[in-house]
Amino acid sequence: MEVREVALAPGEPYELRLTGRGARGYVWTWRVTGDADAVTVSEAPPAAVERQGEPEPPLPGATVERVYVVRGRVAGRARIRFAQVRPPYPEEAAYDEFVLDVVVG
């Protein structure tokens, strides 16, 4: 599990890219602890692969990078735990985890 710390100003965004494994049924979920009001988290739409100037969807079974935007709101410290899980199997341990510690000042 990787842990990263970032410092943001109120209103400042931070883009986090995580490798998706949607073809295997995994999705990224997140949970904010600490000063939960200090940040917002949203998922950006998946990017299409550009071939010869035209955007195309990714090939079936390909790993797809997921982009999450963390935005500072008010001063505080928040911890965001991203976990890659398969929703139909909640008893399984997460396939991968990533922790982002955010200081908003």
Side-chain angles (χ1 to χ4, degrees), residues 22-42:
R24 296 185 187 147
Y26 289 93
V27 297
W28 283 102
T29 61
W30 65 85
R31 188 178 64 153
V32 181
T33 57
D35 298 325
D37 291 341
V39 297
T40 60
V41 182
S42 60

Side-chain angles (χ1 to χ4, degrees), residues 19-77:
T19 302
R21 290 177 177 80
R24 296 185 187 147
Y26 289 93
V27 297
W28 283 102
T29 61
W30 65 85
R31 188 178 64 153
V32 181
T33 57
D35 298 325
D37 291 341
V39 297
T40 60
V41 182
S42 60
E43 183 175 1
V49 176
E50 190 172 310
R51 296 194 183 153
Q52 297 178 351
E54 294 294 320
E56 292 183 15
L59 297 172
T63 30
V64 177
E65 188 175 69
R66 297 292 180 189
V67 178
Y68 299 90
V69 178
V70 176
R71 187 175 300 276
R73 290 188 59 221
V74 296
R77 289 182 153 279

